Amino acid sequence: MKILVCIKQVPDMESHFRPNGSATWFDESDLAFRMNEYDEYAVEEAVKLKEQLGGEPEITVLSIGPDRVIEAIKKALAIGCDRAVHINESAVASKEPWQIASIIAAYARSIQFDLVFTGMQSQDRGSAQVGVLVAELLGIPSTTTLVGFAYADGVVTATRELEGGVKGKVRLKTPALVTCQLGLNSPRYPTLPNIMKARKKEITTFQAGDLSSEPPLTGSSSFRHPEKKGSGVVLEGSVDELVEKVIVILKDKTAVLR
Amino acid sequence: MKLLLVGEYREGRLLDTSAELFGFAAAIGGDASIFLVGSAEDVPAFSGALYLVDAGLYGEYNPEVHKQLLLKAVEEVNPDLIVFIHSSYGWDLAPRVAASLKVAQVSEVIGFADNAYEVGCCNAKMHRNVTPSTSKAVITIQAGAFPALQSEGTPLVKVLSTDVASTTEFLGYEPAEAKDVNLAKAEIVVSAGRGIGKKENIEVIRSLAKAFGGELGASRPVVDAGWIDHGHQVGSTGQTVAPKLYVACGISGSIQHLAGMKKSGFILAINKDKDAPIGEVADVLVVADVLQFVPALTAKLS
Ligand SMILES: Cc1cc2nc3c(=O)[nH]c(=O)nc-3n(C[C@H](O)[C@H](O)[C@H](O)COP(=O)(O)OP(=O)(O)OC[C@H]3O[C@@H](n4cnc5c(N)ncnc54)[C@H](O)[C@@H]3O)c2cc1C
Ligand SMILES: Nc1ncnc2c1ncn2[C@@H]1O[C@H](COP(=O)(O)O)[C@@H](O)[C@H]1O
């Protein structure tokens, strides 16, 4: 059995974001990058499945981006993926979901994976498109927003998270693609011995342009801080001053403190 | 502009969010048609073409088949814009339709100007405009971004059918778990976010909740990490609360969290990041370390 996990490297969301020169996206300098949170669940689920099947499946982890994404790839290898594909694209920020999906599909088509795991969305772009688009391009069934996953004999039973705490159960036959939601499992931390072992695992590099050269279907502009709407106040200062101020405001503006 | 709106059903009922599609259509203007996989028993008042598919025959979740049926409606209407709600149904079906038509998709739209759609990014901290470069486009609109509007009139119903085989088998719904904590009734809710750092620090937030005489809430990562149980979760997949006072401790203010608490009477947020999107809804944003500020506030209140 062959499993593919797609991971994206995204900036730490606690960063201060500034627009790049053309305001199409953020300026990357000074940002710390990490694995997209949703993809951590995808990696963990793939590794759990490998363990369930006695280690038989081979897991390939794939990431598109500049050299910095190798750090995220190494983490996935240390967690238990077997091999990696780094698709080099220095201008990954200007690639929109259709292009990213076309690149992934171009690679995946040649391997014929039985199962593909992606995150349900990336934290920076948040399009929730790439996973489903890959499945459509490969012509395989897919389902999204998994909070439960079970596999037996070529059949995936997925629990999807719907609104208001309701869930939906879906069954699909492999080859298939699923997108992972927060809370699907408890992602493990890589251990030191596994980090060492991961160093020996193979990372194959492709150039994105050699796989697909689809033109973009959308353009991006005016990347900015949202306009402040409310009349909220921002308080800064020493903790003691802040506590005093907050108590005065709560007494004045709410009926909860007497 | 010609619009094709895609509504949603759950267990035979048209979902309330569908009214936001009408709100969007009214705001952007143009001729709207609507596509529904649902039931003739519950169709909205509407004065345009309504493409109806019997969910009894094809199921409420059956993406491959819904896609094929929707493509039939697209062929008849020839819309410029196909509009979904950004929901578990919408974000699942929209990319399939966009891929089949090979047209642009813009996800989680909150506004528009000219041919560009405004969307949030970087966990709602930033916004940007996305412009489709294809003549048709698919969009999903953020739940709550456009007003719910009851439309009027009698729709011209056209029934669609297909014999395309489904690739996914829907096994059924699982109802929401019973809530052991009723946050909705509380006058004060004090919630812990990932910013508290570790499980043990829940107690710091619990003490503040006690000092206020309120209930303890939480953001999703706190629940997912097993620091507290799901009954405490506030947000689109947790509880919706509107207390007199909501205190957000180390919570960034994602759309899904805001959906559950933005109607609170007074919102106090404590965050070390001045840019955190919770600042958009907070009456007071205290820029501080929760682990320093919260114990100090608790001590003063007790
Ligand atoms: C379909 C869907 C449904 C979802 N449903 C929900 C839901 O119901 N409820 C929900 O909450 N989320 C939900 N989410 C997740 C949501 O998108 C966010 O990931 C989540 O709300 C983030 O939680 P957080 O703010 O606690 O954590 P983060 O976003 O990680 O924010 C932590 C914050 O703490 C601050 N911080 C860090 N350290 C400190 C410190 N020492 N002192 C002060 N501040 C500090 C940081 O600046 C940051 O702003 C959903 C997501 C999806 C896709
Ligand atoms: N550059 C990338 N490299 C590999 N996988 C990606 C990339 N971008 C997005 N993905 C995958 O697609 C999912 C959805 O991303 P998005 O459509 O951007 O919200 C992510 O969770 C990843 O699994």
Side-chain angles (χ1 to χ4, degrees):
Chain A
M1 179 177 204
K2 288 188 224 140
I3 300 175
L4 178 67
V5 189
C6 300
I7 64 168
K8 180 175 185 181
Q9 202 194 31
V10 297
D12 189 326
M13 289 302 137
E14 291 176 19
S15 315
H16 177 70
F17 294 99
R18 281 170 292 122
N20 62 13
S22 47
T24 52
W25 199 233
F26 47 73
D27 177 351
E28 278 203 9
S29 49
D30 303 332
L31 293 181
F33 283 82
R34 44 164 298 183
M35 194 191 302
N36 180 35
E37 193 179 352
Y38 296 80
D39 304 347
E40 290 179 4
Y41 293 93
V43 171
E44 176 65 31
E45 203 59 37
V47 173
K48 272 176 62 186
L49 177 58
K50 182 179 166 93
E51 289 167 350
Q52 176 201 322
L53 298 177
E56 184 274 319
E58 185 190 51
I59 310 174
T60 303
V61 56
L62 173 156
S63 189
I64 306 172
D67 284 342
R68 61 167 163 75
V69 309
I70 290 174
E71 202 187 321
I73 286 178
K74 283 188 173 155
K75 181 174 180 190
L77 290 173
I79 287 170
C81 296
D82 298 297
R83 50 189 297 278
V85 168
H86 169 215
I87 301 179
N88 196 356
E89 174 53 88
S90 53
V92 70
S94 67
K95 297 281 173 211
E96 42 91 85
W98 171 254
Q99 294 173 294
I100 296 288
S102 300
I103 296 167
I104 297 173
Y107 164 75
R109 203 173 280 126
S110 64
I111 312 285
Q112 306 233 325
F113 290 98
D114 300 285
L115 252 178
V116 184
F117 291 92
T118 73
M120 77 154 282
Q121 63 183 17
S122 53
Q123 289 171 283
D124 55 354
R125 203 178 272 278
S127 82
Q129 292 178 31
V130 169
V132 179
L133 289 176
V134 169
E136 291 295 302
L137 287 165
L138 294 175
I140 62 174
S142 64
T143 189
T144 59
T145 335
L146 262 65
V147 289
F149 173 89
Y151 171 86
D153 306 323
V155 178
V156 170
T157 309
T159 308
R160 303 186 65 224
E161 182 180 64
L162 312 179
E163 286 66 32
V166 180
K167 291 170 186 154
K169 271 216 147 130
V170 179
R171 190 150 59 198
L172 51 173
K173 284 204 186 78
T174 59
L177 180 146
V178 295
T179 81
C180 304
Q181 164 67 317
L182 306 172
L184 169 62
N185 50 43
S186 308
R188 69 192 78 181
Y189 294 101
T191 60
L192 194 59
N194 286 341
I195 292 172
M196 303 306 281
K197 257 194 255 164
R199 288 194 180 159
K200 294 194 195 79
K201 293 181 180 173
E202 177 195 7
I203 304 180
T204 314
T205 304
F206 294 90
Q207 298 303 322
D210 295 340
L211 290 166
S212 162
S213 49
E214 283 289 319
L217 303 181
T218 60
S220 177
S221 61
S222 307
F223 180 89
R224 63 191 182 272
H225 286 279
E227 302 81 46
K228 276 257 179 294
K229 282 189 215 94
S231 53
V233 291
V234 177
L235 300 179
E236 289 176 275
S238 76
V239 166
D240 291 342
E241 282 166 26
L242 289 171
V243 168
E244 292 299 334
K245 282 187 192 158
V246 164
I247 289 188
V248 170
I249 296 175
L250 291 182
K251 281 192 173 147
D252 188 30
K253 297 276 166 65
T254 74
V256 299
L257 276 195
R258 276 165 288 264
Chain B
M1 168 124 72
K2 271 203 249 169
L3 308 173
L4 180 59
L5 313 175
V6 183
E8 292 175 34
Y9 281 72
R10 180 86 36 86
E11 297 185 274
R13 307 286 307 168
L14 180 71
L15 291 184
D16 290 343
T17 47
S18 305
E20 294 173 23
L21 295 167
F22 299 131
F24 172 82
I28 200 164
D31 276 346
S33 304
I34 187 162
F35 172 85
L36 299 169
V37 182
S39 145
E41 307 284 300
D42 190 16
V43 294
F46 182 66
S47 61
L50 187 155
Y51 293 86
L52 185 67
V53 176
D54 183 358
L57 291 175
Y58 303 104
E60 287 177 358
Y61 181 74
N62 193 350
E64 180 63 26
V65 171
H66 287 201
K67 175 184 80 178
Q68 296 301 341
L69 288 158
L70 180 50
L71 290 173
K72 286 193 174 185
V74 169
E75 218 164 87
E76 293 206 15
V77 176
N78 193 23
D80 304 296
L81 200 61
I82 305 164
V83 190
F84 295 82
I85 300 283
H86 194 71
S87 64
S88 58
Y89 182 76
W91 67 61
D92 187 281
L93 186 55
R96 303 174 197 267
V97 175
S100 297
L101 297 170
K102 210 178 161 188
V103 300
Q105 180 184 333
V106 188
S107 302
E108 222 175 345
V109 168
I110 55 177
F112 52 82
D114 303 322
N115 186 31
Y117 298 98
E118 182 179 357
V119 302
C121 52
C122 300
N123 219 6
K125 265 178 113 161
M126 307 298 293
H127 286 187
R128 64 182 182 124
N129 294 347
V130 181
T131 311
S133 48
T134 51
S135 60
K136 276 188 185 15
V138 168
I139 67 169
T140 62
I141 59 173
Q142 187 179 92
F146 296 92
L149 201 77
Q150 295 313 319
S151 77
E152 287 167 10
T154 309
L156 178 64
V157 177
K158 301 183 185 180
V159 175
L160 297 176
S161 62
T162 183
D163 47 20
V164 165
S166 88
T167 52
T168 43
E169 184 189 352
F170 185 65
L171 303 173
Y173 293 108
E174 280 178 12
E177 289 162 36
K179 295 176 185 112
D180 47 359
V181 194
N182 192 346
L183 297 177
K185 283 214 179 107
E187 290 208 336
I188 301 176
V189 176
V190 180
S191 289
R194 178 151 43 199
I196 67 165
K198 57 178 183 198
K199 184 173 186 172
E200 292 69 37
N201 293 335
I202 284 281
E203 296 315 317
V204 175
I205 311 303
R206 198 192 300 276
S207 301
L208 180 61
K210 274 212 188 106
F212 269 124
E215 293 282 352
L216 180 64
S219 69
R220 181 168 180 148
V222 171
V223 171
D224 286 342
W227 298 352
I228 199 166
D229 50 73
H230 183 257
H232 293 269
Q233 186 177 315
V234 173
S236 61
T237 48
Q239 300 196 47
T240 303
V241 301
K244 287 185 179 150
L245 172 65
Y246 187 86
V247 187
C249 307
I251 295 179
S252 62
S254 66
I255 311 300
Q256 295 86 2
H257 191 80
L258 298 190
M261 47 62 76
K262 67 179 173 205
K263 299 217 170 85
S264 302
F266 193 90
I267 299 172
L268 168 65
I270 301 104
N271 201 303
K272 64 175 188 188
D273 177 6
K274 214 173 155 176
D275 294 339
I278 191 85
E280 304 265 306
V281 299
D283 296 283
V284 175
L285 170 63
V286 173
V287 183
D289 185 331
V290 267
L291 299 176
Q292 289 176 4
F293 177 82
V294 170
L297 180 61
T298 308
K300 203 75 186 183
L301 289 173
S302 321

